[in-house]
Amino acid sequence: DKIDRDDHKGVPFGDIAPGSFGVLPSNRNWDQRRKVIMKTVGINFASQYIPLMNQAVDEWILEIEINKELDFSFEMSKITFKVITKILFGKDIDKMG
């Protein structure tokens, strides 16, 4: 079976931004958009967020239950949403809740 971004209906990022870049099906058009974005953003720009990504994963690890089955796609969307939120609204966004 093919698993695609379009198959992830109901995951947090798909609910918040339906039809956005992160949840579009993988077709020729999607690949072209990805290449344009990667040229614009580039690895050097994105690498500044690696510590933030590591922190989000470390926090996620503390939240999961050991030996429990996980929906990895759902879990990854939660981590991604946390990272994007911190990038957009600041690293201290958790303190506002």
Side-chain angles (χ1 to χ4, degrees), residues 19-97:
S20 65
F21 178 75
V23 293
L24 289 175
S26 297
N27 58 26
R28 189 168 39 103
N29 295 335
W30 178 89
D31 190 50
Q32 184 178 8
R33 287 188 293 269
R34 180 190 60 80
K35 287 177 183 174
V36 168
I37 288 174
M38 290 309 294
K39 286 179 184 175
T40 304
V41 174
I43 190 67
N44 291 330
F45 177 82
S47 66
Q48 68 182 315
Y49 298 111
I50 290 173
L52 187 60
M53 293 179 218
N54 289 337
Q55 178 187 1
V57 171
D58 288 342
E59 291 170 4
W60 172 79
I61 289 170
L62 296 174
E63 296 171 3
I64 62 170
E65 294 180 41
I66 305 298
N67 296 325
K68 182 181 176 189
E69 189 172 313
L70 295 174
D71 177 348
F72 197 68
S73 177
F74 178 75
E75 297 298 325
M76 286 304 298
S77 68
K78 289 193 319 189
I79 294 169
T80 303
F81 183 72
K82 182 179 275 193
V83 170
I84 291 171
T85 304
K86 289 186 178 198
I87 290 170
L88 292 175
F89 301 110
K91 296 177 184 177
D92 59 348
I93 188 73
D94 294 334
K95 296 175 185 173
M96 297 179 76

